[in-house]
Amino acid sequence: MATIISGKEVAAKVRAEIKKDCEALDEMGITPGLAVIIVGDDPASRVYVNNKKKACEEVGFVSEEYALPAETTQEELLALIHRLNGKPDIDGILCQLPLPKHLDEKAVINAIDPTKDVDAFHPSNVGKIMIGDYDFLPCTPAGVMELIHSAGIEVSGKNCVVIGRSNIVGKPMAMLLLHENGTVTICHSRTKNLKEICAAADILVAAVGKPKFVKADMVKEGAVVLDVGINRDENGKLCGDVDFDEVAPKASFITPVPGGVGPMTIAMLMKNTLKAAKLQNNL
Ligand code: BQF
C-alpha cells in the first residue's frame, strides 16, 4: 500500500517559510504584491482566485483582485495589464485562465512583463526554463517536483512518464524531470500503447484532465504516482486523473485529490511572487 504524500501538509510548510522571508522583507519596507485578474464568472476560476488571495493573506503579501465582466474587450484587458506592469507596488501579475473565448490568451500572456510573470507562461520565461536558467518555474510542475523531493524520491535515472502535453503542465513538467536527469516520455491522446508505456514508469505524472483515467493495469508495482487532475466524478465529488482506490495499493507513493498537487500549485505561486518582489527590488 502506498504512502500518501500530503500536498496539504507540504504546502503549509512552504507557506510558513515564505511567511518568514516576507517578515524579513517587511523590515526593509518591502511588501510583495500580487495582482490577480479574473474575467467573467466561471465558478472554478472563482474558487482558484479565492485560494490565491487567501494564501497571499496568510504569508503576508498584499493581493489586488481585478474582477472584470465577461464582456471585457481585448483592448480593456491589455490596458489593465499594461497599467499593472507599470505599478510599482505590484510585483506579480496573473490572469486566471481560461479566458472567455472572444479573448486572446496568447496576447494576454505576451503582454505581462516577464519579470512580473509569476505563472511563468510568458515565452521568454518558457524559453529560460528550457535552458535551465530561470527566475520562475510554472506553479503546478514546480509543486509536483517539491512533492517528489519532500518524499525523498530520487528522479535521476528513473523512467518518468507524463500523461498530457499542455503548455501549462505536461510540457514544463517533462522539462523539470529531465533537468533532474529523469528519462522522460510524454504521452498524449495520439500515443499508441499508452497502457504499456505508463506501466513501465517508475514515476508517473497524470495531467490528462479525465476523471480516474489511470487504472491499476497502467501502473507498475512500486511506482510513484503524482495526480495533477482536478475533476468531478459521477457523483459530483472532486477526483483526480488517477483512480486512487485502484492504484494506491500498487504504488509506493501517491498524491490524493483534493489535498495533493492543488495546494502545492498555490504555494509555488507564493514562492514566485516572493521571488518577483525580490527581483523588482534588486535583491
Ligand atoms: C486541493 C487549475 C485547472 C485549470 C485551471 C487546492 C487548488 C485546487 C485544488 C487550486 C487550478 C488547480 C488552479 C486544491 C489553482 C489548482 O486542495 O486539492 C488548490 O486553487 N488550483 C488554477 O488557478 O487554475 C486552474 C486547474
Side-chain angles (χ1 to χ4, degrees):
M1 190 67 187
T3 299
I4 296 171
I5 309 175
S6 171
K8 199 176 157 181
E9 284 174 20
V10 178
K13 276 190 207 152
V14 171
R15 290 195 305 272
E17 277 168 27
I18 292 168
K19 185 175 179 170
K20 262 197 258 155
D21 260 39
C22 186
E23 284 162 0
L25 287 179
D26 191 57
E27 296 188 353
M28 306 163 70
I30 298 164
T31 308
L34 176 67
V36 181
I37 305 168
I38 176 169
V39 186
D41 50 11
D42 177 65
S45 291
R46 173 39 64 198
V47 171
Y48 300 148
V49 166
N50 289 349
N51 288 343
K52 292 169 190 186
K53 286 164 63 184
K54 192 164 150 252
C56 281
E57 209 171 299
E58 190 194 322
V59 300
F61 299 172
V62 168
S63 73
E64 293 181 356
E65 178 181 313
Y66 295 85
L68 307 181
E71 314 77 58
T72 301
T73 65
Q74 182 76 13
E75 291 67 34
E76 288 168 329
L77 181 52
L78 292 180
L80 170 61
I81 291 169
H82 291 135
R83 183 156 68 82
L84 294 171
N85 284 342
K87 202 168 181 283
D89 56 334
I90 286 301
D91 303 294
I93 302 167
L94 76 86
C95 183
Q96 187 65 41
L97 303 181
L99 289 170
K101 44 184 188 322
H102 69 281
L103 295 170
D104 179 356
E105 285 185 357
K106 200 153 79 174
V108 166
I109 289 166
N110 279 314
I112 295 173
D113 180 336
T115 67
K116 297 190 176 189
D117 173 35
V118 287
D119 270 334
F121 293 163
H122 190 284
S124 81
N125 287 321
V126 174
K128 284 183 163 200
I129 291 156
M130 178 86 56
I131 301 166
D133 165 35
Y134 44 76
D135 296 314
F136 306 115
L137 285 178
C139 300
T140 299
V144 170
M145 295 311 295
E146 286 271 345
L147 288 178
I148 290 173
H149 298 149
S150 77
I153 295 153
E154 177 75 41
V155 174
S156 185
K158 298 280 170 65
N159 270 334
C160 304
V161 174
V162 179
I163 321 174
R165 54 170 153 178
S166 71
N167 289 329
I168 292 176
V169 182
K171 279 190 224 171
M173 185 73 245
M175 200 53 57
L176 301 194
L177 290 163
L178 182 62
H179 286 157
E180 297 203 3
N181 304 306
T183 302
V184 185
T185 305
I186 305 175
C187 295
H188 48 77
S189 54
R190 306 286 183 93
T191 297
K192 296 187 168 78
N193 312 322
L194 179 99
K195 192 197 287 188
E196 288 72 19
I197 294 166
C198 292
D202 303 309
I203 298 174
L204 181 62
V205 181
V208 216
K210 291 190 177 142
K212 303 183 189 182
F213 179 82
V214 176
K215 301 291 184 188
D217 64 355
M218 298 164 70
V219 177
K220 182 163 90 174
E221 193 73 43
V224 175
V225 180
L226 300 129
D227 191 348
V228 174
I230 311 266
N231 313 290
R232 300 265 169 195
D233 70 9
E234 59 282 1
N235 306 313
K237 236 182 77 184
L238 273 186
C239 74
D241 291 346
V242 177
D243 190 326
F244 186 92
D245 294 339
E246 266 197 22
V247 171
K250 270 186 112 175
S252 59
F253 292 92
I254 190 166
T255 64
V257 176
V261 175
M264 292 303 293
T265 297
I266 306 296
M268 294 300 107
L269 175 66
M270 298 301 109
K271 199 169 165 179
N272 282 346
T273 304
L274 180 72
K275 179 83 178 278
K278 290 180 179 171
L279 281 175
Q280 307 304 326
N281 290 284
N282 302 311
L283 292 174

